[in-house]
């Protein structure tokens, strides 16, 4: 196979610049097999751009707070020494799973314009399915209501819920979809096989 063509078909991976701390373990994981970095301080976090779950190593002497936003991009970092790698949903701690809902909602609400634009411009993901159908609580039942209403573009989450009372919490609908995409404990079939807001996992090597 032509390596050049194969590389051209790979999706662009979006690097996270900032992340929200979901849990901070100052003494590392209780179970030594949880990470190759056992015994050292570690944080579980979620990226603010593509909701990537990550493991982070803080700088020496730095204690992290849950729900803190930390810079993890290139250049000087104030609190993070190293991004250790991606984290699978099933390896989130109990604390991280609780905090995940709050973190995702905060990210969605902080980027309201971006997600309102999704409601304004969402299109089909296949010949048989529209991306709006993938949002929990919408489905085919309310999809056409949204498409008709957005002939006058939505301006905010409040605008959406006021013009479409059946969508009382559009931000919450986005949050639920993000969680579905992140959850690797369930098979990705049907509506769950599409990734609207997160990055799909890397294809396994054969």
């Amino acid at each position: 196979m032509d390596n050049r063509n194969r590389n051209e078909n790979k999706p662009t991976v979006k690097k996270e610049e900032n992340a929200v701390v979901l849990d901070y373990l100052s003494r590392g994981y209780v179970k030594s097999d949880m990470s190759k970095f056992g015994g050292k301080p570690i944080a579980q976090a979620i990226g603010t751009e593509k909701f990537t779950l990550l493991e982070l190593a803080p700088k020496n002497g730095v204690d992290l707070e849950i729900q803190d936003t930390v810079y993890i991009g290139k250049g000087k970092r104030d609190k993070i020494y190293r991004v250790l790698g991606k984290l699978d949903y099933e390896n989130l701690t109990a604390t991280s799973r609780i905090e995940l809902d709050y973190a995702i909602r905060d990210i969605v609400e902080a980027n309201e314009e971006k997600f309102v634009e999704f409601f304004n411009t969402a299109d089909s993901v296949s010949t048989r399915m529209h991306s709006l159908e993938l949002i929990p609580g919408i489905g085919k039942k309310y999809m056409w209501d949204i498409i008709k209403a957005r002939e006058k573009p939505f301006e905010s989450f409040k605008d959406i819920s006021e013009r479409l009372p059946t969508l009382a919490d559009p931000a919450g609908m986005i949050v639920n979809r993000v969680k579905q995409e992140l959850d690797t404990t369930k098979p990705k079939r049907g509506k769950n096989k599409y990734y609207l807001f997160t990055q799909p996992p890397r294809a396994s090597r054969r």
Side-chain angles (χ1 to χ4, degrees):
M1 179 183 290
D2 188 331
N3 288 332
R4 181 183 59 189
N5 292 338
R6 181 175 60 188
N7 291 334
E8 285 175 354
N9 292 329
K10 289 183 178 179
T12 301
V13 176
K14 177 71 177 181
K15 293 290 185 70
E16 301 283 4
E17 295 287 319
N18 297 281
V20 176
V21 177
L22 300 173
D23 195 7
Y24 175 58
L25 301 99
S26 60
R27 298 182 180 179
Y29 293 113
V30 174
K31 296 181 180 180
S32 60
D33 61 347
M34 283 286 288
S35 172
K36 61 183 178 181
F37 305 99
K40 297 181 180 180
I42 197 166
Q44 295 190 339
I46 183 169
T48 61
E49 179 65 29
K50 297 297 288 185
F51 301 102
T52 310
L53 297 175
L54 300 163
E55 284 184 318
L56 310 176
K59 288 187 173 182
N60 290 334
V62 172
D63 284 325
L64 301 175
E65 297 289 337
I66 291 175
Q67 294 297 335
D68 269 359
T69 299
V70 293
Y71 178 68
I72 59 172
K74 294 182 179 180
K76 186 177 181 181
R77 301 170 182 161
D78 293 335
K79 297 182 178 181
I80 302 302
Y81 167 66
R82 184 180 174 190
V83 177
L84 301 177
K86 292 185 178 181
L87 180 67
D88 289 331
Y89 178 90
E90 57 262 38
N91 290 329
L92 290 175
T93 64
T95 297
S96 287
R97 294 193 186 206
I98 292 171
E99 297 295 330
L100 187 64
D101 285 61
Y102 302 110
I104 296 174
R105 180 172 277 273
D106 285 347
I107 293 168
V108 169
E109 291 182 346
N111 295 276
E112 182 173 1
E113 183 177 349
K114 169 184 174 180
F115 293 103
V116 169
E117 186 64 10
F118 166 79
F119 282 98
N120 283 326
T121 62
D123 205 346
S124 298
V125 292
S126 72
T127 55
R128 296 186 177 183
M129 193 172 297
H130 197 282
S131 52
L132 287 171
E133 295 179 58
L134 307 182
I135 306 300
I138 294 179
K140 285 186 181 295
K141 186 175 182 179
Y142 301 119
M143 177 188 72
W144 292 110
D145 292 340
I146 296 171
I147 292 174
K148 183 177 179 180
R150 73 185 189 184
E151 291 177 1
K152 176 186 176 183
F154 299 116
E155 296 181 356
S156 64
F157 287 140
K158 182 180 179 181
D159 185 28
I160 295 173
S161 60
E162 286 181 346
R163 289 162 56 187
L164 295 167
T166 51
L167 275 63
D169 184 15
M173 291 178 165
I174 299 292
V175 172
N176 288 335
R177 178 63 200 185
V178 171
K179 287 174 60 183
Q180 284 183 357
E181 293 181 19
L182 292 176
D183 189 351
T184 50
T185 65
K186 299 176 182 178
K188 297 297 185 184
R189 302 191 185 103
K191 292 182 179 181
N192 288 335
K193 72 180 181 179
Y194 298 99
Y195 293 84
L196 300 178
F197 308 114
T198 68
Q199 297 186 124
R202 296 177 181 176
S204 58
R205 294 181 178 178
R206 295 182 179 180

